[in-house]
Amino acid sequence: MDKSWMHSDRRSKAYEFGVEAFLNFAVENLLTTTHIRCPCVKCVNLKVFGVGIIRDHVYFNGIDQSYKNWTFHGEPWEATTNASRNVEEDDGHSRYSFVSEEIDMDDNDFGDFGSDPYEFANVIGDGDQPVYPGCRKYTKLSALVKLYNLKAKHGMSDVCFTELLILQGDLLPEGNTIPTSMYEAKKTLCALGLSYEKMHACPNDCILYRKEYEDSTNCPTCGISKWKQGKDSILKEGVPAKVVWYFPPIPRFKRMFQSHKTAKSLTWHAARKSIDGQMSHPADSPSWKLLDDKWPEFGNEPRNLRLALSSDGFNPHSSLSS
């Protein structure tokens, strides 16, 4: 599909026809006219609107010209061959030995950037790439993280941050790798993150509204509504009073095995042997051995992980005297 109109004057017929073609493409692929991500410079695919509002945004704000692959609007991902997928270490081993199974991830507010296991290696490759030829102090990734920290610290808007990136790219020597838009920056940084789930919760921490309580609107324990109460004491239906962010551990465990060095450390306990008979590692403890004896199938697989809960300094009753 022709996308040259994205670089045309917004007052031109080419831009007008291009916008209509884009909207038709999105509606045909997404099968909706009311819940479409807006690709304008201000929203950068982070907000969802209807076709009419998106049309106005694209005309008034302009379309994000770095949004070359319309993945949020039904276009499939382009095949990428990144050299960082085959980064080699000095000892001849692959820097990242990926597990054979695909890592299942949930969509988040920024899209499914983290679902491809190779995306993480691409980001790590950015950590080795200088921000411009000859630079030794900053890499592409470290510079982007520094800039994004400034954005968060000083409350920059997305538009302001995009303009800052453009200015930064103009100030640096030619060949610099600074992204030119908020969309590109988020696409890089989101590959570092992992999935999470938002769960509605009782304001008094009685229950989570999931499983058998998913469709409930009042807590079965205390009877309080799960919706937020406004200043006028009227419930705002659809706005939860409390939200819990849950970070599933399984995708994070899989991420740990993506690194050759980390995977080797995680399975080191299976190859070691206690020489002096002293407990120098948790694998020497009675609890570890009890688990292996009780569940031999689990214990025979060295890649299985054992989790320990530490509560040092944690006071569950909020009492200073206990």
Side-chain angles (χ1 to χ4, degrees), residues 140-156:
K140 176 184 177 181
L141 184 59
S142 65
L144 184 55
V145 170
K146 285 277 188 181
L147 290 170
Y148 202 82
N149 282 340
L150 286 176
K151 177 188 185 304
K153 183 178 180 179
H154 299 289
M156 293 185 194

Side-chain angles (χ1 to χ4, degrees), residues 110-123:
F110 305 129
D112 194 17
F113 293 128
S115 62
D116 184 358
Y118 293 109
E119 288 294 326
F120 181 63
N122 293 343
V123 175

Side-chain angles (χ1 to χ4, degrees), residues 183-254:
Y183 171 77
E184 286 188 5
K186 280 191 176 292
K187 184 176 178 181
T188 300
L189 294 175
C190 284
L192 289 172
L194 286 168
S195 62
Y196 60 86
E197 300 174 21
K198 292 182 180 179
M199 301 179 185
H200 296 177
C202 170
N204 293 329
D205 302 325
C206 300
I207 63 163
L208 293 175
Y209 288 98
R210 59 191 296 265
K211 294 185 178 180
E212 66 269 23
Y213 302 120
E214 186 173 0
D215 298 326
S216 302
T217 56
N218 291 85
C219 176
T221 303
C222 64
I224 294 181
S225 173
K226 75 173 182 178
W227 305 126
K228 187 175 182 179
Q229 193 175 43
K231 294 181 179 179
D232 51 2
S233 299
I234 298 178
L235 294 177
K236 299 180 179 180
E237 189 170 344
V239 182
K242 194 168 190 177
V243 177
V244 174
W245 290 48
Y246 170 63
F247 299 90
I250 300 300
R252 285 157 177 79
F253 294 157
K254 291 181 178 180

Side-chain angles (χ1 to χ4, degrees), residues 59-291:
Y59 275 115
F60 292 135
N61 303 327
I63 193 167
D64 181 8
Q65 296 183 2
S66 66
Y67 184 45
K68 300 175 183 178
N69 197 22
W70 297 345
T71 52
F72 291 118
H73 300 87
E75 188 174 12
W77 281 101
E78 294 179 355
T80 58
T81 55
N82 194 302
S84 61
R85 297 187 179 183
N86 297 311
V87 178
E88 298 295 323
E89 291 185 326
D90 294 337
D91 59 359
H93 294 287
S94 175
R95 181 174 180 179
Y96 294 94
S97 302
F98 299 104
V99 291
S100 58
E101 59 184 354
E102 182 181 357
I103 296 178
D104 296 323
M105 303 284 284
D106 295 328
D107 290 343
N108 55 37
D109 292 339
F110 305 129
D112 194 17
F113 293 128
S115 62
D116 184 358
Y118 293 109
E119 288 294 326
F120 181 63
N122 293 343
V123 175
I124 301 302
D126 291 339
D128 296 330
Q129 184 179 8
V131 69
Y132 61 85
C135 179
R136 296 183 179 181
K137 187 173 182 179
Y138 288 103
T139 64
K140 176 184 177 181
L141 184 59
S142 65
L144 184 55
V145 170
K146 285 277 188 181
L147 290 170
Y148 202 82
N149 282 340
L150 286 176
K151 177 188 185 304
K153 183 178 180 179
H154 299 289
M156 293 185 194
S157 66
D158 291 350
V159 176
C160 177
F161 188 64
T162 296
E163 293 182 359
L164 174 63
L165 291 174
I166 295 174
L167 176 61
Q168 194 77 28
D170 290 339
L171 293 175
L172 293 176
E174 291 187 8
N176 68 79
T177 55
I178 290 291
T180 57
S181 70
M182 181 69 178
Y183 171 77
E184 286 188 5
K186 280 191 176 292
K187 184 176 178 181
T188 300
L189 294 175
C190 284
L192 289 172
L194 286 168
S195 62
Y196 60 86
E197 300 174 21
K198 292 182 180 179
M199 301 179 185
H200 296 177
C202 170
N204 293 329
D205 302 325
C206 300
I207 63 163
L208 293 175
Y209 288 98
R210 59 191 296 265
K211 294 185 178 180
E212 66 269 23
Y213 302 120
E214 186 173 0
D215 298 326
S216 302
T217 56
N218 291 85
C219 176
T221 303
C222 64
I224 294 181
S225 173
K226 75 173 182 178
W227 305 126
K228 187 175 182 179
Q229 193 175 43
K231 294 181 179 179
D232 51 2
S233 299
I234 298 178
L235 294 177
K236 299 180 179 180
E237 189 170 344
V239 182
K242 194 168 190 177
V243 177
V244 174
W245 290 48
Y246 170 63
F247 299 90
I250 300 300
R252 285 157 177 79
F253 294 157
K254 291 181 178 180
R255 171 68 63 84
M256 293 165 69
F257 279 100
Q258 286 183 304
S259 167
H260 174 75
K261 288 185 176 180
T262 306
K264 186 177 180 180
S265 298
L266 290 171
T267 57
W268 172 79
H269 64 86
R272 68 177 294 278
K273 293 181 180 180
S274 180
I275 300 176
D276 54 6
Q278 301 297 321
M279 190 173 71
S280 57
H281 186 271
D284 301 327
S285 66
S287 300
W288 188 293
K289 295 175 182 178
L290 176 63
L291 190 147

